[in-house]
Amino acid sequence: MPSALAYGLFFAGLAHVRAATASVVALLEPVVAAVIAVAFLGERLSAAAVAGTVVLLGAVAALVATEAEYEPAATG
C-alpha cells in the first residue's frame, strides 16, 4: 500500500508542474531509486546501469540547459 500511495502522490505532483519540470523529475526517478538502493540496501550497479545513469544525467542536463534558453525573462 505505501508504494501505491507514493506513486499516486508522485503522479499527482507531476500534474501540477510545467511539462519540462515533469520530464526532468520523471527521468531522475530511476536514478534516485538506484542511488538509494546502493546507499541503503547495499546493492551493486552493473556497468550497464552506471552507463544508463550517466546517459540519463546527460539528458537531464541537456533538458535543463534547453529550458533555460527558452525561459522568458521575468518581469518585475
Side-chain angles (χ1 to χ4, degrees), residues 27-74:
L27 282 173
L28 286 178
E29 191 269 334
V31 173
V32 171
V35 169
I36 289 171
V38 168
F40 297 108
L41 302 176
E43 296 284 330
R44 292 180 182 222
L45 295 180
S46 67
V50 172
T53 298
V54 170
V55 169
L56 275 174
L57 291 176
V60 168
L63 281 172
V64 170
T66 303
E67 176 73 10
E69 279 182 27
Y70 294 106
E71 193 167 299

